[in-house]
Amino acid sequence: MKILKLILTALLFVNGLNLNAQTEDYPANYAKGPRFKALLCYEPTAEEAHVQFDKQAIQFFHKLTYGEGYLLDVTTNLGDYRDSLQNYSIIIMCNYGIADKKTREAFQTYMENGGGWMGFHASAFRANEAEWPWMTEFLGCGSFLCNQWPPQSALVRVETSEHPVTRTLPEQYVAPASEYYQWTTSPRQDKDVEILVSISPKMYPFGIKDVVKSGDFPIVWTNKRYRMIYLNMGHGDESFMEATQNLLYTNAFRWVVSCDPKGNPFEK
Ligand code: ZN
């Protein structure tokens, strides 16, 4: 009986080795469990069109977890995660702003220590830059200047094909209806910012009720001082209706996560 057990154990061991040898050269790398953790935050009492976007974003990112690719936690209060932010490879900040000082400090510490951030729409909204100067430096743009209204589709220009986020995108596409912001200082003025997507100048005059007539209009960018990307889309229930834009969202998410200083989880 003992000998039989030994033989069985040996067989299992050899099998295990064979399995490893087979998978080593295989083109896919299958994770043994979730590769990383993501934290999504949103504000359920925000204006209705923002909550509409946020709820669809939750669905979108939840679908990306299928097959246990990663763990997605969703919160309406980032303060609850103040002491555990470092466990997350990325914070997806939908239409959410951090109001309290302690959570702001925790977020700053997280970002300054290699944390990942993907922010949408109102997450960058500030009426006054002085109210949280670090956030202004982090985003690389001034406070809110103006918007077009109502939300509408827009021809957008992909400004570079060199970046991993835009490598697979066409030079331009029609983005589904959203509200877009211009800033008191364009992020293009910041030498560490790389603009990835902007509203095409062909859109001017842009808007029906509120009309933006001119100006630099970047809508997706990254500040290279941090592992971050900001996307100005995020208003209403149409944002996830367009394949190109969904590809942009997935690329942006994947890129932020893959740059984790603790190691690229997709290579695990
Ligand atoms: Zn909005």
Side-chain angles (χ1 to χ4, degrees):
M1 201 58 197
K2 237 183 183 175
I3 289 173
L4 194 66
K5 237 183 184 176
L6 265 175
I7 292 171
L8 269 176
T9 314
L11 274 174
L12 280 173
F13 179 72
V14 171
N15 256 341
L17 283 183
N18 276 345
L19 204 68
N20 283 342
Q22 265 169 15
T23 50
E24 224 164 64
D25 300 328
Y26 196 72
N29 64 331
Y30 296 109
K32 291 184 184 71
R35 293 179 186 274
F36 59 91
K37 285 173 81 173
L39 179 62
L40 182 150
C41 48
Y42 78 107
E43 170 57 70
T45 58
E47 62 177 289
E48 196 186 348
H50 287 185
V51 180
Q52 279 172 347
F53 171 85
D54 295 350
K55 291 200 166 155
Q56 291 189 349
I58 292 168
Q59 262 188 338
F60 180 83
F61 288 105
H62 177 67
K63 279 188 182 172
L64 288 184
T65 71
Y66 285 3
E68 287 193 308
Y70 65 97
L71 293 174
L72 177 68
D73 289 329
V74 176
T75 183
T76 57
N77 181 14
L78 196 63
D80 291 345
Y81 289 81
R82 217 156 39 212
D83 300 324
S84 55
L85 293 180
Q86 69 281 359
N87 298 334
Y88 292 91
S89 283
I90 184 169
I91 296 174
I92 304 161
M93 200 170 279
C94 292
N95 287 297
Y96 186 94
I98 308 173
D100 74 285
K101 194 167 171 276
K102 275 189 174 170
T103 310
R104 283 182 175 185
E105 282 167 4
F107 177 65
Q108 181 177 342
T109 304
Y110 168 75
M111 288 311 307
E112 285 176 345
N113 287 282
W117 186 79
M118 178 178 190
F120 288 101
H121 201 52
S123 66
F125 181 92
R126 289 144 303 127
N128 171 8
E129 284 174 44
E131 196 243 335
W132 187 9
W134 179 82
M135 192 64 181
T136 295
E137 185 270 322
F138 170 71
L139 289 166
C141 66
S143 53
F144 172 82
L145 173 68
C146 63
N147 60 322
Q148 111 288 359
W149 196 260
Q152 67 176 88
S153 312
L155 181 68
V156 301
R157 221 173 38 175
V158 175
E159 295 205 12
T160 174
S161 56
E162 305 287 308
H163 198 279
V165 172
T166 49
R167 193 171 50 85
T168 52
L169 301 183
E171 283 174 21
Q172 51 183 29
Y173 73 95
V174 176
S178 189
E179 173 199 28
Y180 294 98
Y181 305 153
Q182 277 190 2
W183 311 92
T184 51
T185 311
S186 167
R188 205 183 298 271
Q189 306 295 314
D190 188 319
K191 62 175 185 6
D192 290 324
V193 163
E194 182 171 11
I195 307 292
L196 303 181
V197 184
S198 57
I199 299 285
S200 167
K202 288 182 188 167
M203 289 305 298
Y204 293 127
F206 184 29
I208 307 291
K209 176 184 172 281
D210 298 331
V211 180
V212 182
K213 292 184 188 131
S214 63
D216 190 24
F217 215 144
I219 54 170
V220 180
W221 68 84
T222 169
N223 177 348
K224 291 182 244 173
R225 295 190 294 274
Y226 300 93
R227 186 160 63 92
M228 67 82 93
I229 189 163
Y230 172 70
L231 306 101
N232 191 226
M233 303 82 162
H235 186 110
D237 59 0
E238 293 177 35
S239 201
F240 297 93
M241 287 171 65
E242 213 281 328
T244 305
Q245 188 147 288
N246 289 349
L247 182 57
L248 165 67
Y249 292 160
T250 309
N251 287 353
F253 173 76
R254 201 179 194 286
W255 172 68
V256 171
V257 171
S258 70
C259 297
D260 193 326
K262 285 179 254 169
N264 180 351
F266 300 112
E267 287 170 2
K268 273 185 206 163

